[in-house]
Amino acid sequence: MRASTPTPPARHILGVRIDDITMDETLAQIQHMLSDGATHQIVTVNPEFVMTAQHNAAFRAVLAQADLAVPDGVGLLYAARWQGQPLRERVTGVALAERLAQASATHGWRIFLLGAAPGVAERAAAVLQQRYPGCQIVGTLAGSPRAADYPVVAAALTASQPDIVLVAYGAPAQDLWIAEHKAELQLRLGIGVGGTFDYLAGVQPHAPRWLRQIGLEWLYRLITQPQRWRRILTAVPVFGWAAWREARKVRRAKRNP
Ligand code: UDP
């Protein structure tokens, strides 16, 4: 179910919905979600999500049903522009985690960091607590999306009563996991955040800001994490080609309705 605050305009790239929402608007929507007593899910979409959704129907459904689908990957901004319907701003998982930690210090939002390798979520929590004194990180756990680990994860979440659970199991596992368990765990808000804890903890180097601004984060990743070449191939040329062809069709249809 989508949030009942004003629904942000959506774009559709290769059949996947992406909301045209800014970081400030995302925070406002989250404030609203946390006040209505229901369960909510936010997905942080990037080109790899879009390509995975082409052949994974369950993931496609989860992306479609999320309360918010924020544009995490710069490739989506290009694709939307090619269609003549630009997205205003990139809302990344890392930046969102930081803004939530900041808001937590003011509003008392209780945040749980779930996922990443053992010890990484703890280090990410320490970084957030140091940067945003007073932020309420109420628990951390490496956990895993495996069914065998569910009881331990469920017990940790029940004991710490978070408002927001950031889940870093990688996509699509994290988003499928939230969708499957949010009701029984009564998650007020679950957000899949991918490699966010790795960046915050300094396990993975973050591309310099100037490279991110010109959309070349993928090149930095290719150089620093060459083992990801297959994923980068999917996210950059494969996605780029498919999105470009779709945009050409969209533009043609607009010219000749
Ligand atoms: N991960 C995990 N459990 C798993 C699989 C992955 O905790 O079963 C973590 C992994 O350690 C990493 C995150 O999920 O911290 C996903 O990282 P990835 O590089 O896939 O995310 P992206 O960079 O695409 O956002």
Side-chain angles (χ1 to χ4, degrees):
M1 191 191 65
R2 299 188 61 178
S4 56
T5 43
T7 308
R11 310 281 179 255
H12 288 87
I13 296 170
L14 298 170
V16 174
R17 175 192 121 225
I18 295 130
D19 294 319
D20 179 29
I21 191 162
T22 65
M23 179 62 87
D24 287 342
E25 289 165 358
T26 302
L27 266 289
Q29 292 255 5
I30 289 174
Q31 186 155 19
H32 189 270
M33 288 178 203
L34 295 180
S35 68
D36 71 3
T39 61
H40 298 282
Q41 176 165 12
I42 295 180
V43 291
T44 56
V45 185
N46 65 31
E48 264 188 281
F49 280 49
V50 173
M51 296 318 286
T52 304
Q54 305 304 304
H55 56 81
N56 183 332
F59 187 46
R60 201 158 60 233
V62 166
L63 297 181
Q65 285 157 19
D67 292 77
L68 278 182
V70 301
D72 178 305
V74 71
L76 304 177
L77 273 75
Y78 282 109
R81 206 184 301 157
W82 294 338
Q83 286 189 11
Q85 291 204 304
L87 289 157
R88 282 170 296 160
E89 194 173 297
R90 201 175 161 197
V91 178
T92 68
V94 185
L96 184 56
E98 295 226 24
R99 285 292 297 269
L100 288 173
Q102 191 181 30
S104 158
T106 333
H107 300 295
W109 293 347
R110 298 166 64 80
I111 303 176
F112 193 105
L113 307 188
L114 177 63
V120 173
E122 283 87 332
R123 279 155 63 189
V127 168
L128 290 175
Q129 271 156 341
Q130 194 219 337
R131 282 188 201 159
Y132 307 101
C135 83
Q136 309 278 313
I137 308 287
V138 296
T140 61
L141 183 69
S144 99
R146 286 189 297 274
D149 288 332
Y150 179 72
V152 175
V153 174
L157 292 176
T158 306
S160 57
Q161 293 290 303
D163 297 309
I164 302 168
V165 185
L166 303 183
V167 186
Y169 289 155
Q174 60 194 16
D175 309 286
L176 294 168
W177 188 91
I178 294 169
E180 187 183 347
H181 299 295
K182 65 183 179 188
E184 65 202 82
L185 291 173
Q186 296 179 3
L187 296 189
R188 301 182 70 195
L189 173 59
I191 311 177
V193 293
T196 290
F197 304 163
D198 295 344
Y199 289 116
L200 290 172
V203 174
Q204 290 295 346
H206 212 171
R209 184 190 288 264
W210 66 271
L211 263 183
R212 280 184 270 146
Q213 273 168 349
I214 58 173
L216 288 183
E217 190 170 351
W218 61 270
L219 184 60
Y220 182 84
R221 282 191 156 191
L222 187 61
I223 293 164
T224 55
Q225 303 172 55
Q227 71 283 6
R228 291 174 70 110
W229 69 269
R230 201 186 292 273
R231 292 181 54 178
I232 293 167
L233 199 70
T234 305
V236 185
V238 177
F239 168 79
W241 176 240
W244 174 257
R245 284 180 32 177
E246 180 188 43
R248 213 170 45 183
K249 272 195 214 141
V250 169
R251 287 198 312 264
R252 266 200 208 126
K254 268 192 207 148
R255 275 200 304 270
N256 316 306

Tab-separated table of all heavy atoms in Angstrom, residues 18 26 30-31 58 74 80 82-83 103 107 116 120 128 136 167 195 208 222 225 233 241 244 256:
chain	number	residue	atom	x	y	z
A	18	ILE	N	9.507	4.460	-10.751
A	18	ILE	CA	10.465	5.216	-9.944
A	18	ILE	C	9.810	6.552	-9.616
A	18	ILE	O	9.283	7.222	-10.512
A	18	ILE	CB	11.790	5.439	-10.710
A	18	ILE	CG1	12.468	4.086	-10.962
A	18	ILE	CG2	12.751	6.325	-9.924
A	18	ILE	CD1	12.879	3.895	-12.352
A	26	THR	N	11.242	12.973	0.564
A	26	THR	CA	11.300	11.604	1.094
A	26	THR	C	11.215	11.633	2.621
A	26	THR	O	10.468	10.858	3.230
A	26	THR	CB	12.615	10.910	0.647
A	26	THR	OG1	12.667	10.921	-0.782
A	26	THR	CG2	12.689	9.481	1.136
A	30	ILE	N	8.392	9.997	5.019
A	30	ILE	CA	8.739	9.041	6.076
A	30	ILE	C	8.112	9.480	7.396
A	30	ILE	O	7.567	8.666	8.144
A	30	ILE	CB	10.275	8.889	6.178
A	30	ILE	CG1	10.787	8.126	4.950
A	30	ILE	CG2	10.687	8.202	7.481
A	30	ILE	CD1	12.296	8.016	4.829
A	31	GLN	N	8.182	10.767	7.663
A	31	GLN	CA	7.571	11.279	8.899
A	31	GLN	C	6.085	10.901	8.936
A	31	GLN	O	5.562	10.470	9.958
A	31	GLN	CB	7.741	12.795	8.957
A	31	GLN	CG	7.262	13.389	10.261
A	31	GLN	CD	7.947	14.708	10.569
A	31	GLN	OE1	8.501	15.338	9.675
A	31	GLN	NE2	7.918	15.113	11.812
A	58	ALA	N	8.656	-11.765	-8.838
A	58	ALA	CA	8.403	-11.464	-7.420
A	58	ALA	C	9.038	-10.117	-7.060
A	58	ALA	O	8.425	-9.274	-6.379
A	58	ALA	CB	8.974	-12.578	-6.540
A	74	VAL	N	22.303	6.801	-10.704
A	74	VAL	CA	22.379	7.933	-11.631
A	74	VAL	C	21.877	7.539	-13.027
A	74	VAL	O	21.312	8.371	-13.745
A	74	VAL	CB	23.820	8.504	-11.673
A	74	VAL	CG1	24.791	7.561	-12.386
A	74	VAL	CG2	23.848	9.864	-12.328
A	80	ALA	N	15.467	8.715	-17.534
A	80	ALA	CA	14.262	9.543	-17.434
A	80	ALA	C	14.400	10.771	-18.332
A	80	ALA	O	13.453	11.188	-18.995
A	80	ALA	CB	14.026	9.949	-15.979
A	82	TRP	N	16.230	10.954	-21.051
A	82	TRP	CA	16.099	10.517	-22.455
A	82	TRP	C	14.631	10.408	-22.846
A	82	TRP	O	14.263	10.638	-23.989
A	82	TRP	CB	16.771	9.148	-22.661
A	82	TRP	CG	18.255	9.177	-22.494
A	82	TRP	CD1	19.089	10.251	-22.606
A	82	TRP	CD2	19.086	8.057	-22.144
A	82	TRP	NE1	20.390	9.869	-22.351
A	82	TRP	CE2	20.419	8.534	-22.081
A	82	TRP	CE3	18.840	6.701	-21.881
A	82	TRP	CZ2	21.494	7.696	-21.759
A	82	TRP	CZ3	19.917	5.872	-21.573
A	82	TRP	CH2	21.220	6.373	-21.513
A	83	GLN	N	13.784	10.031	-21.884
A	83	GLN	CA	12.346	9.905	-22.182
A	83	GLN	C	11.652	11.264	-22.240
A	83	GLN	O	10.477	11.350	-22.548
A	83	GLN	CB	11.640	9.085	-21.095
A	83	GLN	CG	11.928	7.604	-21.142
A	83	GLN	CD	11.022	6.826	-20.187
A	83	GLN	OE1	10.067	7.357	-19.643
A	83	GLN	NE2	11.336	5.564	-19.979
A	103	ALA	N	17.723	12.969	11.415
A	103	ALA	CA	16.337	13.184	11.847
A	103	ALA	C	16.040	12.417	13.134
A	103	ALA	O	15.234	12.857	13.956
A	103	ALA	CB	15.372	12.750	10.745
A	107	HIS	N	13.920	13.768	16.119
A	107	HIS	CA	12.571	13.220	16.321
A	107	HIS	C	12.552	11.990	17.217
A	107	HIS	O	11.482	11.473	17.532
A	107	HIS	CB	11.946	12.825	14.978
A	107	HIS	CG	11.803	13.961	14.014
A	107	HIS	ND1	10.977	15.031	14.233
A	107	HIS	CD2	12.394	14.184	12.817
A	107	HIS	CE1	11.059	15.875	13.202
A	107	HIS	NE2	11.922	15.376	12.338
A	116	ALA	N	24.765	-6.862	6.154
A	116	ALA	CA	26.211	-6.721	5.881
A	116	ALA	C	26.993	-7.780	6.671
A	116	ALA	O	26.427	-8.531	7.466
A	116	ALA	CB	26.709	-5.316	6.153
A	120	VAL	N	30.120	-5.110	10.563
A	120	VAL	CA	30.037	-3.913	9.702
A	120	VAL	C	28.900	-2.983	10.157
A	120	VAL	O	29.087	-1.765	10.251
A	120	VAL	CB	29.878	-4.315	8.217
A	120	VAL	CG1	29.623	-3.091	7.341
A	120	VAL	CG2	31.120	-5.050	7.736
A	128	LEU	N	27.560	6.727	12.440
A	128	LEU	CA	26.358	7.577	12.452
A	128	LEU	C	26.196	8.271	13.799
A	128	LEU	O	25.844	9.451	13.869
A	128	LEU	CB	25.113	6.739	12.127
A	128	LEU	CG	25.017	6.231	10.683
A	128	LEU	CD1	23.815	5.310	10.515
A	128	LEU	CD2	24.933	7.396	9.691
A	136	GLN	N	19.278	7.653	17.464
A	136	GLN	CA	18.883	6.442	18.199
A	136	GLN	C	19.080	5.197	17.337
A	136	GLN	O	18.155	4.766	16.664
A	136	GLN	CB	17.400	6.510	18.572
A	136	GLN	CG	16.951	7.770	19.250
A	136	GLN	CD	17.266	7.694	20.730
A	136	GLN	OE1	16.993	6.691	21.371
A	136	GLN	NE2	17.864	8.731	21.251
A	167	VAL	N	17.837	-2.423	5.829
A	167	VAL	CA	18.217	-3.816	5.558
A	167	VAL	C	19.251	-3.863	4.433
A	167	VAL	O	18.970	-3.456	3.302
A	167	VAL	CB	16.984	-4.665	5.188
A	167	VAL	CG1	17.383	-6.138	5.050
A	167	VAL	CG2	15.884	-4.521	6.241
A	195	GLY	N	24.685	-1.681	-0.242
A	195	GLY	CA	26.029	-1.605	0.342
A	195	GLY	C	26.252	-0.421	1.284
A	195	GLY	O	27.396	-0.106	1.615
A	208	PRO	N	34.899	9.597	-5.064
A	208	PRO	CA	34.943	11.027	-4.753
A	208	PRO	C	33.687	11.735	-5.271
A	208	PRO	O	33.133	11.338	-6.299
A	208	PRO	CB	36.186	11.533	-5.497
A	208	PRO	CG	36.963	10.315	-5.861
A	208	PRO	CD	36.022	9.150	-5.876
A	222	LEU	N	34.460	0.048	-10.924
A	222	LEU	CA	35.099	-0.936	-11.799
A	222	LEU	C	36.589	-1.029	-11.484
A	222	LEU	O	37.174	-2.114	-11.471
A	222	LEU	CB	34.881	-0.538	-13.265
A	222	LEU	CG	35.334	-1.542	-14.317
A	222	LEU	CD1	34.585	-2.860	-14.166
A	222	LEU	CD2	35.114	-0.992	-15.718
A	225	GLN	N	36.758	-2.236	-7.492
A	225	GLN	CA	36.181	-3.560	-7.219
A	225	GLN	C	35.997	-4.298	-8.551
A	225	GLN	O	34.862	-4.545	-8.976
A	225	GLN	CB	34.819	-3.419	-6.536
A	225	GLN	CG	34.836	-2.620	-5.231
A	225	GLN	CD	33.427	-2.357	-4.722
A	225	GLN	OE1	32.630	-3.269	-4.534
A	225	GLN	NE2	33.095	-1.107	-4.512
A	233	LEU	N	28.503	-4.243	-15.856
A	233	LEU	CA	28.088	-4.432	-17.251
A	233	LEU	C	26.561	-4.365	-17.357
A	233	LEU	O	25.997	-3.752	-18.264
A	233	LEU	CB	28.588	-5.798	-17.725
A	233	LEU	CG	28.670	-6.061	-19.205
A	233	LEU	CD1	29.788	-5.229	-19.828
A	233	LEU	CD2	28.951	-7.549	-19.466
A	241	TRP	N	21.609	0.650	-22.935
A	241	TRP	CA	21.119	0.342	-24.276
A	241	TRP	C	19.606	0.107	-24.250
A	241	TRP	O	18.849	0.676	-25.050
A	241	TRP	CB	21.872	-0.863	-24.835
A	241	TRP	CG	21.416	-1.345	-26.175
A	241	TRP	CD1	20.940	-2.583	-26.464
A	241	TRP	CD2	21.392	-0.614	-27.402
A	241	TRP	NE1	20.617	-2.673	-27.803
A	241	TRP	CE2	20.882	-1.469	-28.408
A	241	TRP	CE3	21.733	0.704	-27.757
A	241	TRP	CZ2	20.711	-1.064	-29.725
A	241	TRP	CZ3	21.550	1.104	-29.083
A	241	TRP	CH2	21.058	0.219	-30.050
A	244	TRP	N	17.784	3.362	-23.511
A	244	TRP	CA	17.865	4.281	-24.653
A	244	TRP	C	16.849	3.889	-25.730
A	244	TRP	O	16.127	4.729	-26.271
A	244	TRP	CB	19.292	4.257	-25.212
A	244	TRP	CG	19.432	5.053	-26.477
A	244	TRP	CD1	19.503	4.567	-27.748
A	244	TRP	CD2	19.486	6.485	-26.587
A	244	TRP	NE1	19.607	5.593	-28.642
A	244	TRP	CE2	19.589	6.789	-27.966
A	244	TRP	CE3	19.443	7.519	-25.661
A	244	TRP	CZ2	19.657	8.086	-28.433
A	244	TRP	CZ3	19.511	8.826	-26.129
A	244	TRP	CH2	19.628	9.096	-27.492
A	256	ASN	N	4.113	11.144	-32.502
A	256	ASN	CA	3.019	10.633	-33.340
A	256	ASN	C	1.998	9.907	-32.471
A	256	ASN	O	1.927	8.693	-32.495
A	256	ASN	CB	3.537	9.629	-34.372
A	256	ASN	CG	4.808	10.105	-35.041
A	256	ASN	OD1	4.827	11.207	-35.574
A	256	ASN	ND2	5.837	9.304	-35.000
